[in-house]
Amino acid sequence: MPQSLLNDQFAHRPTGSTTAALIVLNHHVAKLLETISYVRCLVVDFSKAFDTINHVILAQKLDKLHLPDHVHNWIINFFTDRTQSVVLLGKLSKEQMITQSIIQGSGLGPVLYAIYSSDLKAIGKDTVLVKYADDTTLVYPDQTDVSFEDEFSNIKEWSKQNRLTINISKTKEIVFHRPNPQRFHAPAPLQDVQQVPSCRLLGTVISSSLSVRDPVDYILTVSSQHLYLLNKLKHAGLNLKALTVIFQAIVV
């Protein structure tokens, strides 16, 4: 698979991580703020993206990779002719064909999603997309060749063509700016998209001032909650070995 397909994808690759994605995001924002007054950042939320991957569209995208026939056929075989059923009150339902979604928990599923979303690109020459699995963030300078509305329309059109749904209520915009609030005037927000001073992204918090206080406070708050839980478990009689395992899992 051509490496260029995954240049903006930081998940499910040897050199990728949430840390790498956040570093690239912060680098682009800080670099742009050296010459312009603000940078708009759109944090896009796709509703159940992994569960709504269309198999026909995925097969079409695999065709364009010109994979060896035996590899292509093996992948197609992997996600086709699968069925599911449910048990309710001891009764088993009829089997239904699974015509969408990747196989979560498999080694191949995340790669298939990366391929599926690889043709989602920004249209502006100075606009950057940073992806981590289905977490998609658009970095947009205030002076470029296309409008912010056009960039968002492009993402919405791609979503429509690829049978994915954007969750508007969870999609947020942050406007990063230089530390001169008295001179800064925030641009008008996108229709139906909330403009916020900070939001959660990739396990941390990013803020419009690029301050490290917000992510540190977030980590301390979550850690404090987990330590409170450990204290409750200790008083409930959980042994030290089990407490250590839980501490490593949810705090460290």
Side-chain angles (χ1 to χ4, degrees):
M1 182 168 57
Q3 187 62 37
S4 59
L5 285 178
L6 302 178
N7 283 343
D8 55 7
Q9 175 62 259
F10 290 86
H12 317 302
R13 52 184 294 186
T15 57
S17 64
T18 55
T19 300
L22 290 168
I23 288 173
V24 168
L25 175 64
N26 278 274
H27 169 75
H28 280 293
V29 171
K31 192 70 176 176
L32 288 167
L33 287 178
E34 292 178 359
T35 56
I36 58 179
S37 59
Y38 65 84
V39 176
R40 304 179 74 170
C41 181
L42 187 67
V43 181
V44 182
D45 184 271
F46 290 106
S47 299
K48 299 181 179 179
F50 279 39
D51 295 330
T52 53
I53 294 296
N54 183 276
H55 289 175
V56 174
I57 296 174
L58 176 58
Q60 293 170 348
K61 296 188 179 190
L62 288 170
D63 286 340
K64 296 178 181 179
L65 296 180
H66 304 295
L67 298 170
D69 288 344
H70 65 283
V71 175
H72 177 271
N73 293 338
W74 175 71
I75 295 174
I76 296 296
N77 180 265
F78 177 74
F79 65 80
T80 54
D81 294 329
R82 288 181 176 269
T83 60
Q84 64 180 5
S85 57
V86 297
V87 176
L88 180 63
L89 299 177
K91 294 184 179 181
L92 182 66
S93 70
K94 293 182 179 179
E95 290 187 347
Q96 297 290 328
M97 295 297 300
I98 301 175
T99 59
Q100 60 183 24
S101 86
I102 57 173
I103 313 303
Q104 294 202 51
S106 68
L108 190 58
V111 177
L112 294 179
Y113 180 82
I115 292 171
Y116 196 88
S117 63
S118 62
D119 56 353
L120 173 57
K121 302 292 183 184
I123 55 178
K125 64 177 183 178
D126 298 316
T127 311
V128 176
L129 272 177
V130 178
K131 305 173 190 171
Y132 187 88
D134 59 333
D135 289 309
T136 302
T137 307
L138 179 77
V139 180
Y140 176 90
D142 71 334
Q143 300 172 8
T144 188
D145 55 331
V146 298
S147 70
F148 196 51
E149 290 75 14
D150 286 344
E151 286 285 6
F152 190 34
S153 294
N154 174 60
I155 295 175
K156 290 190 289 186
E157 181 60 28
W158 179 89
S159 303
K160 180 180 179 181
Q161 292 177 357
N162 288 274
R163 311 284 181 86
L164 296 180
T165 302
I166 295 176
N167 189 335
I168 294 294
S169 65
K170 292 185 177 181
T171 295
K172 307 297 181 183
E173 179 193 353
I174 297 180
V175 183
F176 298 101
H177 56 83
R178 297 180 187 179
N180 293 312
Q182 68 277 12
R183 298 181 181 179
F184 172 71
H185 298 284
L190 291 168
Q191 185 177 1
D192 300 324
V193 175
Q194 185 181 10
Q195 202 173 81
V196 295
S198 64
C199 76
R200 289 183 58 181
L201 178 65
L202 301 180
T204 187
V205 172
I206 57 173
S207 65
S208 58
S209 62
L210 292 179
S211 169
V212 298
R213 175 176 294 180
D214 288 330
V216 170
D217 286 348
Y218 171 75
I219 292 171
L220 290 176
T221 299
V222 173
S223 296
S224 178
Q225 293 170 348
H226 290 164
L227 289 172
Y228 175 78
L229 171 62
L230 285 169
N231 188 52
K232 286 290 189 180
L233 293 174
K234 178 183 177 181
H235 286 293
L238 199 64
N239 62 60
L240 180 60
K241 183 178 180 180
L243 286 171
T244 302
V245 171
I246 296 173
F247 175 77
Q248 290 287 337
I250 67 175
V251 177
V252 176

